[in-house]
Structure formats: C-alpha cells, structure tokens
Amino acid sequence: MAANPPLKVLFLSAEVVPFAKTGGLADVAGSLPKAIRALGHDVRVCMPRYGRIDRAKFGLTEVVPAFDVPMDHHTEPASIWQGTIGRDVPVYLVDNAPYFDRDGIYMYPDDAERFIFWCRAALEMLRRPELDWQPDIIHCNDWHTAIIPNWMRTIYKDDPFFARAATVYTIHNLAYQGIFGHRVLEVAGLDEYGFLYHPEMADMAEVVDLMARGIYFADVVSTVSERYAQEILTPEYGERMDPLLRDRRDHLFGILNGIDHEIMDPAGDQYLAARFDAQRLEARAANKAALQREAGLPEAPTTPLVGVISRLTDQKGFDLISQIIDPLMSHVDMQFVLLGTGDQRYHDLFSAVAQRYPQRAAVFLTFNAPLAQRIYGGSDMFLMPSRFEPCGLGQMIAMRYGSVPVVRATGGLADTVVDYDPRSGRGNGFVFEAYDAMALFATLVRAAETYKHEAVWRQLMLRGMAEDFSWARSAGKYVDLYYRALAAKIPREARPLDEYGIGDA
Ligand code: ADP
C-alpha cells in the first residue's frame, strides 16, 4: 500500500504551552503538534509574541525581520521570532509591539484587529524569502484564527502560493465565537465580500461572527470530542450556530484531545512532594498530606479530598457547586480545595466558603501551574460538573495522577469517564446525567461512600492511571483529517459564494 506523503502543516493557536496559557487550548497547541511531528509530518506552530513572552528566557531568535502586513487601508509591521516546542517543532511568534506588548492576552477593545493582524502576518510570513514554506494544511483553532478560511475563499483564492493549501478549523469551545461589528470586515479587507447570512440564524446578519466564518469556509471542521461534535448539532449546545453546523455535518468530525504524557507524569513531576506511579501508589499519600498542609487543612488521611482546578465560569458548573457546598461541608466528611480564576461573583462566593469552613475548604484564586499539579497529585477526587465541556483536560490529567473524576456526562467528560458500577466493578469515576444540584450532591455522597472501601478505591485509581490519554491515540486521526481536508477542498472550490447570501450586502 502506498503511504500517504508527509504533510506540511501550519498550526495556528492564540495560546501555546509553554509560551502563554489561559486554558486547555494552550495545552493542545503545545502538545498535539509534537505528536503529529512524531508521525513524520512537518508541523510548524504560529502564535503572537505577547509582551509577557520573554525572548531571552525562551531563546527566541529573529528569523524574519520586519515586513509589511496589509491591514484595512494601511500596512502594519511584523517581525517573526522563532522558538521551539518539544525537541524540534518550530514555533513562529509574530511580533508587533502596539498590538501584543500588553500585560494580558485577551479582553482588549481591539481584539478583533489584533488577531486579524496576527493571522494576516502568519500567512504573509510564509512567502518571505527567509521561510519560503508552502503549507499543505492551514490548521486554525478557535475564533482568533477563523478569518483565515474566509480569506482562503476570497482574497487569497487565486494566489498561487496558497493554491494547494486546505483549511482545517477546530472548535475548542463554541461559546467563544468572536462576535464583532461590521468594521471588522474592513479591517480584514473583506468589506466587498459582504455578510454571512443564514435563513435560520437571522441575528447573524447584524454582526460579524468570526467563528461562523471559520465553520462555513473551512474545508473540514473538527471539535475536540466525539460527543461534543454530536451535541453542537442541537439547539441546546449549538450556541445559536447549530443550523450552520448541521449544514456542515458531513465535514464535521470529533477527535478527542490528548494530554502530554511527558509533562503530565506523576513519576517525573518536579512539583510533587513525592513522585509515584501504579507500582508505587503508597507514595501518593505524602502528596495528599503536603497538599493539606499547603491548603491549611487538617492532615486527615482518611477524609476524602476533592480538588477543583478551573476557570471560574458558569460553563464549569459552579452554580451547581454553589447550591450544594454548604450541605456538603456541613454533613459529609470531605475536604474541598479549589484553584481557579474567573468571574468575580465566584471569587466572592468561594472566598466566603473558605471563611465559613476553615477546617474543610481552601481556595486559591490565582493561576498557578505548579499548584495545579500538586492538586492533581494530592486530591482523592477531581470535580468537574460542567454544564457543557467540549473535551476537558482536567479529568484526564486527574486520572493520570490517581485522582478519581466526578463529572457530569457531557462532551468529552462523557467520552472519557465511565461511571463506577458496584455490581460489575467497572468504571473509572463517578458520573451524573442531569444538570441538577441534587444529582451532583448524590454523586459526591456516592463517591465518598465508595472511598471508604480502600480496595475498591485503589482499583478505581489504578484504572484511571492505566487509561491512555496520550496524543498517540488522536494524532493519527488529525492526520486523516488533513488528508480529508485536501480531498474536500476541490468540491468546495466549486461551491458558489452566494449560497448564504455572501456578497449580497
Ligand atoms: P478549559 O480549556 O475550558 O479552561 P480544560 O479542562 O480543557 O478547560 O483545560 C484547563 C487547563 O487549564 C488544564 O490544564 C488545567 O489544569 C488548567 N488550569 C485551569 N485553571 C487553572 C489555574 N487557576 N491554575 C493552573 N492551571 C489551571
């Protein structure tokens, strides 16, 4: 059988571990390209060089000196700095001080312009003589990159440099769509191509929804678990985008995220008080004791300790937790350690919980990667009662670290956690279905009861630790997706642009 040829893939992500991270997207972008590279493909990553990314610390070198990037009716300069992830995956960091030399990553009034600039610079850098590298696949992730598939079918359509390139658009979270006013089309040089209008999504005519453009124009679309790929076709999970997603369902695929087994490794984790693996599970108790000390909680080896590491947003089920936290802390022998940042009301709520139950609850309202590892490695259970969850990495990392997940059956949580059944002894965690506070409470009580049976609990831990959540499982599926995108490109080229009212404006 003739092997498929190696591919050249440009992988664009607004955040990439270890350079910048706010959530799971950064973990994926910092690990999936390594796994695809290991399969023999030439993957290169591109992201903005935010001000916080220290050139000296990461050993960045300038590979393309300043060049002009077309914007609106003017040009903006960009230079390209190169770093590496893993042993040999190049990362191109787009530098432009006014756009990116700021304290944070997102939440600026000119975000649309900043990320459109980065995308345009990413495409234009490829043809600079210093790189001169023509990708077969342009892999775009989330709304920040969604303009690229749109460009490939409009302003770059007849550009011979990109003639062969197919686009893949991956949705990491449909809740963040990048919705802006119409001026964004001017910034992107697309004003003459009009609006994207769908008869079942009337409100879309009022705005520019970048993610909708990615979904509409990409040669193939993917999302980060099989379950979520099904869920987003429904009004309940579709975030108003389900009619468009249903139209594209033949080109929509779900591929479960992986975790980086090299970094997420309890046997080699430098942040743990004691390293351990399945053969040395007893060593894990020292991590629980150390975490209890760090959290200022009593060192109680037989009290189950529940960990939460999360962005503090409604998506993650904090309204459910807030409804049951008082009865849980008052009536169930359980400790609770939370690490997270996000909505102020949850900061206030959980600070108050820690004050009410100083012997039971501890709250860290910061972003702290080493502490996260200590919670994964020291907690007995890991709680993720999400309203929706495209994939979720926390439950996978927790399982690898022997913390048993307690989750709601949605998205990637449903694809990775199997409810413990005491009759058959099967399962690797605790799962509830309805988005309901009582269902969560009952499941936590069930987990706490099971915890009392040491041998059963040990089996649950070992089963989670034995799961293979490495990218080895999913990287090959992305390569298949890339070939599929190349095959899909041809008929889509023939598809009329006015199908959705494009150009009517
Ligand atoms: P999402 O991408 O929706 O935020 P995921 O579960 O996919 O959720 O990924 C979250 C990632 O961010 C995990 O690696 C988790 O450990 C990490 N994380 C979340 N909040 C914090 C925090 N406050 N400190 C350190 N790491 C965090």
Side-chain angles (χ1 to χ4, degrees):
M1 195 182 83
N4 280 320
L7 296 171
K8 287 188 260 176
V9 182
L10 180 69
F11 188 101
L12 293 112
S13 171
E15 43 184 283
V16 181
V17 165
F19 302 103
K21 166 168 170 174
T22 69
L25 172 62
D27 292 307
V28 172
S31 52
L32 170 60
K34 291 195 287 184
I36 295 173
R37 186 111 183 161
L39 296 176
H41 302 281
D42 182 1
V43 188
R44 306 187 187 190
V45 178
C46 183
M47 67 179 294
R49 193 199 68 88
Y50 304 108
R52 280 207 215 147
I53 303 175
D54 184 16
R55 292 192 186 98
K57 180 182 157 205
F58 288 107
L60 305 184
T61 52
E62 193 183 50
V63 286
V64 183
F67 60 97
D68 287 336
V69 178
M71 289 287 284
D72 206 346
H73 301 297
H74 69 294
T75 61
E76 280 285 334
S79 60
I80 309 299
W81 292 70
Q82 185 174 334
T84 313
I85 51 174
R87 276 167 286 282
D88 54 2
V89 179
V91 181
Y92 298 126
L93 297 105
V94 173
D95 206 353
N96 170 294
Y99 282 137
F100 299 122
D101 216 346
R102 307 180 186 182
D103 287 340
I105 298 182
Y106 310 122
M107 305 298 277
Y108 294 101
D110 59 347
D111 272 0
E113 190 174 327
R114 295 168 71 225
F115 290 105
I116 284 170
F117 164 77
W118 160 55
C119 290
R120 195 79 193 254
L123 296 181
E124 291 300 323
M125 79 177 178
L126 298 174
R127 55 169 128 230
R128 305 302 301 172
E130 296 85 355
L131 292 191
D132 191 20
W133 185 75
Q134 279 178 279
D136 305 299
I137 297 291
I138 303 177
H139 188 163
C140 303
N141 294 280
D142 272 355
W143 73 260
H144 326 96
T145 58
I147 200 71
I148 291 180
N150 195 167
W151 280 336
M152 286 296 147
R153 296 256 295 141
T154 51
I155 56 177
Y156 284 98
K157 191 169 181 289
D158 300 315
D159 188 326
F161 190 88
F162 292 104
R164 288 175 43 227
T167 51
V168 173
Y169 184 66
T170 300
I171 301 164
H172 294 262
N173 192 335
L174 198 60
Y176 302 99
Q177 297 178 1
I179 296 174
F180 300 98
H182 285 124
R183 209 192 92 69
V184 164
L185 292 179
E186 284 171 42
V187 174
L190 287 177
D191 39 344
E192 66 182 281
Y193 293 95
F195 308 140
L196 188 61
Y197 174 73
H198 189 290
E200 293 172 64
M201 298 159 63
D203 53 334
M204 282 237 316
E206 311 296 320
V207 294
V208 174
D209 185 319
L210 289 175
M211 187 167 263
R213 286 171 185 260
I215 294 168
Y216 176 74
F217 286 106
D219 293 305
V220 296
V221 179
S222 78
T223 188
V224 289
S225 69
E226 285 176 24
R227 174 73 72 104
Y228 193 59
Q230 294 300 317
E231 286 174 343
I232 59 179
L233 300 176
T234 66
E236 186 185 354
Y237 290 96
E239 304 280 349
R240 305 164 15 267
M241 206 81 90
D242 48 296
L244 175 58
L245 287 159
R246 284 196 296 275
D247 288 348
R248 296 234 57 205
R249 70 191 310 163
D250 290 346
H251 292 88
L252 171 67
F253 302 89
I255 303 178
L256 190 71
N257 279 338
I259 55 173
D260 191 328
H261 272 204
E262 282 173 26
I263 296 176
M264 300 298 175
D265 177 17
D269 194 319
Q270 54 169 325
Y271 299 119
L272 296 182
R275 296 173 196 176
F276 65 95
D277 55 24
Q279 281 72 46
R280 292 173 291 158
L281 200 51
E282 325 68 59
R284 197 177 186 280
N287 292 319
K288 178 170 173 181
L291 177 60
Q292 286 169 326
R293 283 195 297 277
E294 184 171 1
L297 297 176
E299 265 184 63
T302 57
T303 299
L305 192 161
V306 181
V308 177
I309 303 169
S310 182
R311 292 183 294 113
L312 301 180
T313 64
D314 288 339
Q315 176 200 337
K316 301 291 181 175
F318 287 106
D319 53 336
L320 294 191
I321 300 179
S322 65
Q323 290 174 57
I324 59 145
I325 195 76
D326 282 302
L328 192 73
M329 297 287 90
S330 322
H331 304 310
V332 183
D333 182 27
M334 201 173 247
Q335 292 178 337
F336 178 82
V337 174
L338 176 140
L339 168 64
T341 57
D343 294 356
Q344 187 59 44
R345 67 196 164 103
Y346 290 127
H347 285 226
D348 299 343
L349 193 144
F350 286 108
S351 302
V353 168
Q355 276 170 10
R356 278 203 299 285
Y357 305 99
Q359 298 295 305
R360 290 219 179 267
V363 170
F364 299 90
L365 300 170
T366 59
F367 194 95
N368 183 334
L371 176 57
Q373 300 309 101
R374 292 195 288 275
I375 296 175
Y376 287 123
S379 57
D380 297 300
M381 300 168 195
F382 188 78
L383 179 59
M384 235 169 137
S386 305
R387 182 184 287 277
F388 66 95
E389 194 57 74
C391 176
L393 298 176
Q395 83 282 13
M396 295 197 251
I397 305 171
M399 280 190 260
R400 185 147 163 78
Y401 279 69
S403 184
V404 177
V406 178
V407 306
R408 182 171 166 254
T410 183
L413 297 171
D415 285 352
T416 52
V417 185
V418 180
D419 193 35
Y420 170 64
D421 177 349
R423 283 157 303 186
S424 66
R426 290 208 196 91
N428 59 11
F430 294 87
V431 183
F432 63 100
E433 296 279 338
Y435 191 78
D436 174 78
M438 270 322 290
L440 168 61
F441 188 74
T443 306
L444 279 168
V445 170
R446 190 157 60 88
E449 286 301 312
T450 310
Y451 180 80
K452 292 176 184 162
H453 302 276
E454 220 174 292
V456 172
W457 197 261
R458 192 182 156 83
Q459 280 307 314
L460 279 172
M461 291 167 80
L462 289 172
R463 206 167 292 149
M465 291 172 77
E467 296 279 0
D468 179 6
F469 293 123
S470 74
W471 276 109
R473 266 182 8 159
S474 297
K477 293 185 184 166
Y478 272 102
V479 174
D480 291 345
L481 190 69
Y482 294 158
Y483 289 119
R484 217 184 262 273
L486 287 168
K489 182 176 159 68
I490 298 127
R492 278 190 67 74
E493 282 303 318
R495 193 164 152 174
L497 260 181
D498 60 2
E499 191 178 321
Y500 278 69
I502 300 259
D504 286 357

